[in-house]
Amino acid sequence: MNRVGRVVCIRLAARIGLVVGIFFGIILLVEFLDTGRFNQTAALAGPWTSTGLAFLSALRWSLLGLPVTVLIGAIVGLIDLHSHREMVIISASGRSIWSTMRWPILMIILSGVIVTTVVDSFAIRVYQQLDAAQIGWGRAYGVQNRETWFNQTGADGDYMLYARSVTQGGTQLRDVSILRLQPQGGTGTRIHARMAELEPGQWRITDGMVLDIDRAPQPFAEMTLATTATGSELSLQLGTAEDMSWFDLRQALRNGIADPFARAAAETRFQKLNAVPFVLVGALLIAFAFTGGYRRTGHYGWTIVYGIVLGLVVFVITEMADRAGSAGVLDPIAAAWGPALVAIVIGLTVILRREDGRV
């Protein structure tokens, strides 16, 4: 990396980090101001767990808004470079804006990969270790502890599984009822049990009773029912794709997901994580497009407003496409990569227009 690239990268990284930190602090303050949930969590799991979950929730919301904060931070960094006439010196030395952007773009791509594979995965893993699902934290954990139906199939036949309480991402069910599709003369058409836990290839059902029309109820301490479902698939059926890491999603997609809605949600989330570095590159290009040029008066008010508005538009488009892809309305690849391409095209178009004028 040459000296110019190092100066620009350090200045942009410092300003982007500052904006992300401020955004994180604001969200963390909001989390702590929700005293009702904080006190309830402290009563259930202790004050340290409640504090840790508040930090993790703020971190994950900060990652969700990363394209906008990167855009604002890049704009602040470029204005800072202009205010010290460093961008003027870089231009006067004969360097084009393309050579100036090369190292910052590589920095943003590397940062996006780290955020996707390390930071987000770490936050999700800690969430799971703290058992946040049972406490009620997280964007997608609201579906926990509700009455839920699961359509199951396996070597023991097809059956519907109904649970009045769902925890551990769908792998632990309480107060369970099972309706089996049995051939004529078969037994065990209805099963009621206290708990069902998912094990590899089967449900382990404990403390229950088998009910048939033509015989007395048959209590049992433990029994098993074969299933092809996996923990990842059940979690996705609950709508918790947002709370699965990049590695978990990749493994679930490799193993195959039978439910079409769960598969659409998983693939959209997976492709969205893959596209994060390029969405951030689009945000950086928009920042360069609207603040990279020289201003004799030094006024960037409306230029900054235009850049931020475009960044918010890209963010809204990203979230709308994500919802459409997760619902199966839009192809997951198009839903995830479309906003990234839109952001990059907008940034490149404005830069080309400013640098080369109309063609």
Side-chain angles (χ1 to χ4, degrees), residues 294-337:
Y294 175 69
R295 296 290 187 280
R296 181 176 298 178
T297 60
H299 298 308
Y300 288 86
W302 284 110
T303 302
I304 294 172
V305 171
Y306 293 150
I308 293 176
V309 168
L310 269 178
L312 291 174
V313 168
V314 171
F315 175 77
V316 171
I317 292 175
T318 301
E319 291 303 307
M320 291 177 62
D322 177 61
R323 298 294 185 271
S326 299
V329 177
L330 191 63
D331 183 82
I333 295 178
W337 289 93

Side-chain angles (χ1 to χ4, degrees), residues 20 23 61-71 112 115 276 280 283 315:
V20 172
F23 189 68
W61 280 109
S62 299
L63 297 180
L64 182 66
L66 205 55
V68 178
T69 52
V70 166
L71 172 63
V115 166
V276 164
L280 300 183
F315 175 77

Side-chain angles (χ1 to χ4, degrees), residues 250-269:
R250 183 182 63 173
Q251 187 63 39
L253 291 171
R254 283 182 175 179
N255 294 337
I257 301 173
D259 186 89
F261 296 103
R263 184 172 61 253
E267 191 171 354
T268 300
R269 161 77 171 164

Side-chain angles (χ1 to χ4, degrees), residues 124-334:
I124 291 174
R125 184 62 55 86
V126 176
Y127 253 76
Q128 294 170 349
Q129 291 177 352
L130 292 176
D131 207 9
Q134 297 189 48
I135 301 174
W137 284 72
R139 296 194 302 274
Y141 281 125
V143 297
Q144 302 289 329
N145 297 314
R146 292 184 180 179
E147 299 179 356
T148 309
W149 287 90
F150 294 104
N151 190 0
Q152 299 288 282
T153 186
D156 295 327
D158 299 332
Y159 53 95
M160 295 295 296
L161 196 155
Y162 170 73
R164 291 169 180 81
S165 177
V166 181
T167 56
Q168 301 295 330
T171 60
Q172 187 178 85
L173 312 177
R174 298 180 184 277
D175 200 0
V176 178
S177 297
I178 301 173
L179 307 178
R180 304 183 66 185
L181 302 177
Q182 293 281 35
Q184 188 174 2
T187 59
T189 55
R190 271 176 39 182
I191 301 172
H192 295 287
R194 181 180 61 85
M195 179 179 292
E197 293 183 284
L198 183 66
E199 297 179 345
Q202 65 180 16
W203 285 100
R204 181 166 58 87
I205 307 166
T206 56
D207 192 13
M209 185 174 298
V210 178
L211 301 177
D212 285 302
I213 297 176
D214 56 351
R215 65 186 67 195
Q218 302 291 320
F220 63 88
E222 182 175 310
M223 69 177 296
T224 61
L225 278 177
T227 181
T228 59
T230 62
S232 299
E233 183 171 346
L234 294 175
S235 180
L236 289 168
Q237 289 181 13
L238 290 172
T240 56
E242 289 292 327
D243 293 301
M244 294 182 67
S245 69
W246 184 86
F247 301 98
D248 294 335
L249 289 167
R250 183 182 63 173
Q251 187 63 39
L253 291 171
R254 283 182 175 179
N255 294 337
I257 301 173
D259 186 89
F261 296 103
R263 184 172 61 253
E267 191 171 354
T268 300
R269 161 77 171 164
F270 182 69
Q271 295 296 338
K272 183 180 178 181
L273 290 175
N274 290 334
V276 164
F278 299 94
V279 174
L280 300 183
V281 168
L284 182 66
L285 290 174
I286 291 174
F288 267 96
F290 284 90
T291 56
Y294 175 69
R295 296 290 187 280
R296 181 176 298 178
T297 60
H299 298 308
Y300 288 86
W302 284 110
T303 302
I304 294 172
V305 171
Y306 293 150
I308 293 176
V309 168
L310 269 178
L312 291 174
V313 168
V314 171
F315 175 77
V316 171
I317 292 175
T318 301
E319 291 303 307
M320 291 177 62
D322 177 61
R323 298 294 185 271
S326 299
V329 177
L330 191 63
D331 183 82
I333 295 178

Side-chain angles (χ1 to χ4, degrees), residues 95-98 292-294 349-357:
R95 293 183 177 274
S96 68
I97 192 171
W98 308 110
Y294 175 69
T349 301
V350 177
I351 291 174
L352 286 170
R353 181 182 177 84
R354 288 183 178 275
E355 290 296 305
D356 303 325

